[in-house]
Amino acid sequence: PWATPRFKKMTWTMLWSDAETVPMELDVQPDGLMLLLEDYKVFKTQRLTMGNLGQLKGGISLSSEASLAHEVRSTLRFPLYQGQKFTYNTVSFEKGEEEKKAVVNRQCEVVGSDDARQIHSALSGRYWKVVCDIESDGKDHKKTLAWLTDLNVFMPLTQSVKGKEEPVTVKDLQIVR
C-alpha cells in the first residue's frame, strides 16, 4: 500500500554542490500524487510524481511535448524498515522528432534512520535513509534519499553531478499541512 502524504505543500531551495540554487515547490494533488515544480532559471520543469520518487508525467518549458509513464513496476511497500530492498521502475515515451522510449530502473535499499532536523530545522521526526542505484539511458548513477516519516515524502540527500554523487542542501523550507 502507498503512504498518503501528510502535508498540502512544500517549498524549498535546493543547493547543488556547484552552488547552483534551484527553487522547488511540491503540491499534493487530491488523489495523493505530487506535482513538483523546479525552476532552473534557463528552463522550468513540472513533474507529476508518486511520493516524489519517480516521475509519472513531466514537461520542460523548452519543449511543447510531455513525457508520460506508460508502465510503473514497484516492490515498494510501507512502512519502510531497516534493510528493506525495493525496486521502482518506469517506462515512458517521450515525443519529439522521434518517439523515444525512456526506461528508468531503481534498485533501492533502506540503509539507516536519523533525525529529520539534520536535513532542515523545519522538519520533525525521523527519516529513513534510502540508497538507490539508478540505470537510465544506459548510464548508471547513485542517489540517496530521505523518506520523511512525518510527511510521507521522499526528499533527495544527494544528486548525481557528472556521474558523481554529490550532497545537496535544503534551504528556506516551508511546509503547509
Side-chain angles (χ1 to χ4, degrees), residues 11-66:
T11 58
W12 70 96
T13 301
M14 192 71 73
L15 178 63
W16 307 130
S17 61
D18 61 2
E20 178 184 1
T21 59
V22 180
M24 314 282 259
E25 181 177 318
L26 191 60
D27 292 302
V28 176
Q29 305 301 291
D31 59 6
L33 296 177
M34 299 176 191
L35 184 62
L36 177 64
L37 307 169
E38 301 164 277
D39 185 352
Y40 291 92
K41 314 243 183 331
V42 175
F43 65 92
K44 295 179 182 185
T45 67
Q46 186 174 34
R47 306 172 199 270
L48 187 63
T49 71
M50 188 176 294
N52 198 27
L53 177 62
Q55 177 176 307
L56 302 175
K57 184 177 183 180
I60 184 169
S61 62
L62 300 175
S63 171
S64 61
E65 300 295 332

Side-chain angles (χ1 to χ4, degrees), residues 62-66 93-101:
L62 300 175
S63 171
S64 61
E65 300 295 332
F93 292 97
E94 298 172 353
K95 297 189 181 201
E97 292 177 17
E98 306 176 8
E99 188 168 271
K100 179 183 165 194
K101 184 177 180 179

Side-chain angles (χ1 to χ4, degrees), residues 80-96:
L80 296 184
Y81 57 88
Q82 177 73 33
Q84 178 181 358
K85 295 180 180 181
F86 64 89
T87 60
Y88 189 90
N89 305 321
T90 56
V91 176
S92 302
F93 292 97
E94 298 172 353
K95 297 189 181 201

Side-chain angles (χ1 to χ4, degrees), residues 134-152:
I134 303 170
E135 190 264 318
S136 176
D137 294 328
K139 296 177 184 163
D140 296 329
H141 65 279
K142 192 178 288 274
K143 188 172 192 176
T144 303
L145 304 162
W147 172 256
L148 302 173
T149 58
D150 279 5
L151 300 172
N152 284 350

Side-chain angles (χ1 to χ4, degrees), residues 81-141:
Y81 57 88
Q82 177 73 33
Q84 178 181 358
K85 295 180 180 181
F86 64 89
T87 60
Y88 189 90
N89 305 321
T90 56
V91 176
S92 302
F93 292 97
E94 298 172 353
K95 297 189 181 201
E97 292 177 17
E98 306 176 8
E99 188 168 271
K100 179 183 165 194
K101 184 177 180 179
V103 179
V104 180
N105 294 315
R106 296 170 191 83
Q107 303 284 331
C108 304
E109 182 175 1
V110 179
V111 298
S113 175
D114 215 328
D115 186 336
R117 284 182 291 276
Q118 289 188 352
I119 299 168
H120 192 278
S121 61
L123 296 171
S124 60
R126 308 228 11 115
Y127 73 91
W128 285 109
K129 185 176 182 180
V130 179
V131 175
C132 296
D133 291 310
I134 303 170
E135 190 264 318
S136 176
D137 294 328
K139 296 177 184 163
D140 296 329
H141 65 279

